[in-house]
Structure formats: C-alpha cells, structure tokens
Amino acid sequence: MRARVLAAATSVVLLAGCAPGPGSGPVVNSPSATSVPSPTEPAPTSPPAVAPTGAPEVIAEGLEAPWSVVRLPDGGVLVSERDSGRIVEVLEDGTLREAGVVEGVAVGGEGGLLGLAHRPGDADDAASLYAYFTSDSDNRVVRMPLTGVTGELGLGRAEPVLTGIPRAGNHNGGRLAFGPDGLLYVTTGDAGDRDSSQDLESLGGKILRMTPEGEPAPDNPFDSLVWSFGHRNVQGIAWDAAGGMWAAEFGQNTWDELNRIVPGGNYGWPEVEGRADEARFTDPAVQWPTGEASPSGIAVVGDTVVVAALRGERLWWASPAITSPTDVVDTYAGEYGRFRDVIAGPDGELWALTNNTDGRGSPREGDDRLLRIRVSDTD
C-alpha cells in the first residue's frame, strides 16, 4: 500500500546552495536562511501523523469532470462539475441529484466551474455556497444562498463577490476555502501571463484573502486582496492544527511544490521553480518532478498534508505538517487514475475525488468517483 516511503533518514534533502535537477521522487527541503518562518506556533498537543488503512471505498460514482467537493455541517455533500456547470448533491446511498446549475460558466481548456466553499449561516445571513468559475470575460467568485435540507438542497440566485480575475485556457487557479480566521481565501493562476505573478497590481498568480463580501481583509500585507504572490497555478489550500497555511502549486517543466504560505510571501514564479536559496523568495517545503505530481486539492488529516496528484495519479502524504514535512509517502499510484481533490471526512477519514473524465484522463467504468479512505496513526 505504501508504495514509496521517504523517512527522515532516507529523504532527499537539499542543502543550502544546492539545487539538483529533478530525478525520481520528491525532494524534502531543509529549512534555510532564506525561508520565511511559519507565522504560527505548534499546537499545544500536536495530532499524530496518519496513513491509509485498507482499500478505498466508493461513496459515489458517475460524476462528470468533478473539480471540488464540500461537506456541510449537517452531513450534506456537494460536488462541482467543471464542464456541465452543475453542482450535484451526493445522497447517503451514493445517488447523485442536481442541486443547481451555475449560470454564466464558459467551458474551455481548464476553465469552467471550479472551486466550492461553504459558509454557515448566522443571525444576519443564511448559509451560502461560494463558487469560482470561468466566464466569457474573466474568472470570478460568486455566492449563492443554500436552500432546502440535506437530500433536497438547492441554490438561490448568484451574487458576485469578486470579478476580474484573469482567465485563459489554462492556469486558472480556482480553489476556494474559508480559513480558521473566517476569511475567504481564493487561489488564482497566472492565466498564461507569467509576469502577472510578480505584479502586485494584478489578481493573477496570487493567493487572495478577503471578507465574505469580497473586500480586502484589514490586515493584508499590501493593503489589497493579495495575501501571497509569485504563484504559477495554485489549486490546493489547507490549514494544519496550529493554523499554518499550506498550498500545492503546479510547476512548469521541472518542479511542483508544496508550500507553507506566509503573508506577503513571494514564491518565485516565473523567476524560479522549486528551491531558490534567495532572500527575496520563499522556498517550498517539498518539491516533486512534474511527472509524479501535478498537485491539485490538498487536505490536512491529523498532522499529515495529503496532496491529490493529477498527472502523478496518486496521493502524496507529507508529515509532520506543523513543524514541516520530513516523511513523504505515495499511495495508489496508477490504481484510480487522476486525483483532483481531497478533503477531511468524518471521524478523521479522508475523502478523495478522482478526475479521469476531464479529457486528460483514461476513464474507467464508474468514473469519476468519490472515495472514502480510512486512516490510522503512524505512531
């Protein structure tokens, strides 16, 4: 099951000033003087690292080019389908039903209906579902009232939250998540304009941080929506138990990256892929040859960052998350095809979304699937 284990004693470690070309397997980067430290302290009691136990179980199948999955507090499950613009509800018996269709989705290349995020209701607002999608003119974020109850969920009229994100046939970013601070984080790609990633006036090639209404968070580092920059195409974000933020990023031809995100951090694109060892850039914690990753969604389960790999057709498990990974393990290589998203499931398990029907995979009977993966402590 654990196809390749790179424990601390056997992991490939880059020493300061040394940056070899990609070989086989991940490279675990040791901290350097150029790395920006984590903005958080370790949790008082760190959770254990985890590993999968047993074979994955199918929760649902028959999804078409799925991109993002969200779990609702009452047990409801929603999945976005990139090319249809549909948001489908996964019922308890695995049946799929259409909860709604997002209007204005323009499908093409890697564009379409992408990330989802749920915001619970409060005394002032009803519960809402946020969606990131490609329109005819841009990428944008909208929010929709979430209506009905589990098994009969529906969506109200979409209201724009953020428009004007650069769009293209590829590198559209698209991941949404509410952080531990209650603010909305949005990942954007460079949309083929490499220089935009270093331009703080552009929304391209960034991680953005905003209020639920789409306004810049008051303590953002540049008095704008920008939280971090120098990104090529981030499609996965998650937080560890100490509140540290992680992101997975597509490289071009050399290195894919798992980065610890800090406010104002410059992650180097297009001037560098992988470790730079330059004071102006923040180096990745882990980097992979692009053929073994193409990372999309990520999740933190216990003290382990789990990375969904598209081209790599596997899941990567990197731990410990709080202090920075030293052990990197891959599982299911080639068994289920491309993985697009992963989320923490109930009772500490992991849910994973395959992505073989998007035009780049090789669909198998039943694709695409939502899978349940049981985990156990590695201690």
Side-chain angles (χ1 to χ4, degrees), residues 99 127 144-150 152-156:
M144 299 160 284
L146 189 59
T147 62
V149 296
T150 297
E152 301 177 350
L153 292 172
L155 300 170

Side-chain angles (χ1 to χ4, degrees), residues 236-252:
I237 49 177
W239 288 262
D240 61 38
M245 184 181 183
W246 293 91
E249 179 163 352
F250 287 83
Q252 180 170 280

Side-chain angles (χ1 to χ4, degrees), residues 106-199:
V107 178
E110 297 173 4
L113 177 59
L114 305 179
L116 301 178
H118 172 256
R119 183 170 184 252
D122 55 29
D124 298 319
D125 295 303
S128 53
L129 189 72
Y130 286 65
Y132 184 113
F133 70 89
T134 310
S135 76
D136 287 330
S137 59
D138 61 4
N139 284 301
R140 56 182 54 196
V141 179
V142 298
R143 64 179 175 185
M144 299 160 284
L146 189 59
T147 62
V149 296
T150 297
E152 301 177 350
L153 292 172
L155 300 170
R157 186 178 182 84
E159 172 189 359
V161 173
L162 178 65
T163 61
I165 302 168
R167 58 150 288 170
N170 52 19
H171 305 181
N172 288 296
R175 194 65 62 186
L176 301 179
F178 280 95
D181 53 12
L183 294 166
L184 179 65
Y185 291 76
V186 179
T187 76
T188 71
D190 68 8
D193 179 4
R194 297 158 56 101
D195 293 340
S196 68
S197 297
Q198 293 292 321
D199 180 0

Side-chain angles (χ1 to χ4, degrees), residues 40-132:
T40 58
E41 296 295 328
T45 302
S46 298
V50 301
T53 301
E57 305 166 18
V58 176
I59 296 174
E61 58 185 17
L63 293 159
E64 299 178 9
W67 210 92
S68 179
V69 56
V70 295
R71 294 179 54 245
L72 307 180
D74 64 357
V77 180
L78 295 171
V79 177
S80 63
E81 293 185 336
R82 187 192 69 184
D83 296 344
S84 69
R86 297 196 312 159
I87 295 175
V88 298
E89 182 179 10
V90 179
L91 304 184
E92 189 172 354
D93 64 358
T95 303
L96 305 177
R97 64 171 294 274
E98 183 179 295
V101 178
V102 179
E103 295 184 2
V105 174
V107 178
E110 297 173 4
L113 177 59
L114 305 179
L116 301 178
H118 172 256
R119 183 170 184 252
D122 55 29
D124 298 319
D125 295 303
S128 53
L129 189 72
Y130 286 65
Y132 184 113

